Amino acid sequence: LGLIIFVPIILLVIVPIVVNMFVNATTMTIISATLMEPLPSTMLIDTWVELNNAGPIAAKLSGFNATLVGPKGRDIGWLVFPDVPLDANSANLQHVLSQMTIM
């Protein structure tokens, strides 16, 4: 009877809280960024980023479209950020070379 009560509580309440703590503690720092080969609608961005995985389990950050926003809140353009494997409890340096589409 105890397992019937405690297993759902652990899976539905405690595990999401712990995972949320790890996700909130994860950071991404841009080490360097270079804009290259500018054209009217595109340019290359060569970037080194440090992704700090705060969780005790290795993970994979799935690729996504990243929007660059200017200092006044206006969208400048977007680029594709690739899939990145993340080691557990560590800083992961990642080199990203991507074409930015200018808006």
Side-chain angles (χ1 to χ4, degrees), residues 67-77 103:
T67 301
L68 275 66
V69 179
K72 295 184 179 180
R74 182 177 163 266
D75 290 351
I76 297 171
M103 298 175 152

Side-chain angles (χ1 to χ4, degrees), residues 26 53 55-62 83-89 92:
T26 299
N53 179 8
I57 300 170
K60 180 182 108 177
L61 177 63
S62 295
D83 290 351
V84 178
L86 300 173
D87 295 330
N89 287 322
N92 299 268

Side-chain angles (χ1 to χ4, degrees), residues 3-81:
L3 286 176
I4 294 172
I5 295 171
F6 288 113
V7 169
I9 290 173
I10 290 170
L11 292 176
L12 298 173
V13 177
I14 297 173
V15 169
I17 289 171
V18 171
V19 169
N20 194 38
M21 285 180 357
F22 293 141
V23 170
N24 287 337
T26 299
T27 60
M28 180 172 126
T29 304
I30 297 174
I31 304 298
S32 69
T34 304
L35 305 176
M36 304 180 305
E37 301 178 21
L39 297 171
S41 61
T42 63
M43 72 173 60
L44 287 178
I45 296 185
D46 188 8
T47 309
W48 280 94
V49 295
E50 181 182 75
L51 299 155
N52 291 299
N53 179 8
I57 300 170
K60 180 182 108 177
L61 177 63
S62 295
F64 59 92
N65 289 341
T67 301
L68 275 66
V69 179
K72 295 184 179 180
R74 182 177 163 266
D75 290 351
I76 297 171
W78 64 272
L79 60 100
V80 176
F81 197 89

